[in-house]
Amino acid sequence: MTAPEPTPAVLTGMKGANDKPFAKLVQTLSFLVLVLLMAMTVVLFIDALPAIRTFGISFLVGSDWDPVNGGFGALPFIYGTVMSSLVAILLAAPTGIGVAIFITEGFLPPLLRQPVSIATEMLAAIPSVVYGLWGIFVLIPILRPFMKETANLLGVIPLLAGPTPGPSIFVTGVLLAVMILPTIIAISRDVLRAVPETLRLGSMALGATQWETIFSCILPAAAPGIMGSVILALGRALGETMAATMVIGNTPQIQASLFAPGYTLAAVLANEFAEAITDLHTSALIYAALVLLGVTLALNILAQWLVLVVSGPNSERGGR
């Protein structure tokens, strides 16, 4: 005598019962992430409180950084962090998306796709200090003539004016672009592969060329995922410490030219935290860390908003 087959209702009930502990575990872990972020923010805020009480909002707009005389303003570091990250993302985003299209859309022989994918992902495994040394001994000598010629030709534009000593915001941006490329390529490649093949075939059946299919069908369908890869890459560029410290010049001044030395929030923390000379100096550095966290969160929230704008009604349909 065989046992009766379970009805759909029984199966549904069993599935729900088994899923409940797992759902609770996932909810708890998700909640812990928020708790961890809030705890980090609270601890930074408490330790930065002496500097917050002393300098207030002027810490964010002041450009004087003088630990000996007790003057602290983080604007040069905020400027260096944002500018170097913008240069990096402007260089890395189109390059990374282009490489992902090159790998996934049949422009590369099948035999070479896997080696190229592995080679790009290997870039992510290189330690940042190695990137820093590469920046000093290879990237700066390569870019210095380019920066010099650009400054000679377009020096009337403040953003491209000389002199060009070598270590600079521009070099840091190029180096960060190389470092964040694997993130953009790997995620964009997987997102492009996830686009249904029927979408490509349908577009080409209607007479579209391969490029028309890519730009009118594939990229719009993959846009939210590609934007997510850019967000993750931007987060790494903002927080990168060692490599940026080695090639940016560590000069706490705001200069309009990208070819001038600068400083980043992460770099000043790495350089000065272990050698802080007063409690106020330590508190000011923690205040800078709090600002770095705030800048990162603000840009990520802005990027998430852009994802919602780009995905629009498609995300709603996908959620149903």
Side-chain angles (χ1 to χ4, degrees):
M1 183 178 180
T2 58
E5 294 185 359
T7 62
V10 172
L11 289 174
T12 305
M14 292 174 62
K15 183 180 178 182
N18 292 332
D19 282 349
K20 279 185 178 179
F22 179 72
K24 290 292 183 185
L25 175 64
V26 172
Q27 289 174 0
T28 303
L29 292 176
S30 302
F31 181 71
L32 285 177
V33 173
L34 294 177
V35 171
L36 180 62
L37 178 61
M38 292 179 65
M40 290 172 61
T41 306
V42 170
V43 169
L44 287 176
F45 180 80
I46 292 173
D47 290 339
L49 207 51
I52 294 174
R53 285 173 176 162
T54 303
F55 304 108
I57 198 70
S58 65
F59 182 82
L60 304 178
V61 297
S63 57
D64 180 31
W65 187 266
D66 186 359
V68 176
N69 296 314
F72 297 100
L75 190 58
F77 311 119
I78 298 172
Y79 176 78
T81 301
V82 172
M83 292 302 291
S84 59
S85 299
L86 283 178
V87 172
I89 211 69
L90 287 175
L91 293 174
T95 306
I97 296 169
V99 172
I101 292 173
F102 189 69
I103 293 174
T104 58
E105 298 304 316
F107 295 101
L108 202 62
L111 194 63
L112 295 178
R113 288 176 193 168
Q114 194 64 18
V116 170
S117 297
I118 294 174
T120 54
E121 291 173 1
M122 285 292 290
L123 290 173
I126 298 175
S128 59
V129 67
V130 176
Y131 273 114
L133 291 173
W134 179 74
I136 292 172
F137 295 111
V138 178
L139 194 58
I140 289 177
I142 290 176
L143 290 179
R144 186 181 282 122
F146 167 76
M147 292 189 292
K148 185 177 180 180
E149 290 299 322
T150 304
N152 290 336
L153 292 173
L154 304 172
V156 292
I157 303 173
L159 206 61
L160 303 175
T164 56
S168 61
I169 291 175
F170 178 73
V171 172
T172 307
V174 175
L175 184 60
L176 291 176
V178 176
M179 296 178 70
I180 64 178
L181 260 180
T183 303
I184 298 177
I185 293 173
I187 298 177
S188 299
R189 180 198 60 202
D190 292 343
V191 169
L192 289 171
R193 282 177 178 168
V195 174
E197 188 65 21
T198 53
L199 200 60
R200 295 178 175 84
L201 297 177
S203 176
M204 291 185 176
L206 291 174
T209 64
Q210 187 175 16
W211 284 111
E212 288 172 341
T213 299
I214 291 172
F215 283 104
S216 62
C217 296
I218 307 302
L219 287 179
I226 292 174
M227 186 67 78
S229 72
V230 175
I231 293 170
L232 290 175
L234 179 61
R236 175 168 188 192
L238 287 169
E240 176 53 41
T241 305
M242 185 55 67
T245 304
M246 296 171 75
V247 298
I248 199 167
N250 299 326
T251 303
Q253 296 176 356
I254 297 177
Q255 302 184 58
S257 175
L258 293 176
F259 302 148
Y263 222 150
T264 66
L265 289 164
V268 71
L269 289 170
N271 283 333
E272 297 190 12
F273 193 81
E275 300 174 355
I277 56 178
T278 62
D279 290 341
L280 186 60
H281 188 188
T282 303
S283 182
L285 289 170
I286 296 174
Y287 195 178
L290 189 64
V291 171
L292 177 60
L293 181 63
V295 170
T296 305
L297 288 177
L299 287 178
N300 276 280
I301 290 171
L302 175 63
Q304 291 286 353
W305 176 75
L306 289 175
V307 170
L308 292 175
V309 171
V310 172
S311 56
N314 293 330
S315 63
E316 294 179 2
R317 286 196 294 270
R320 290 173 186 173

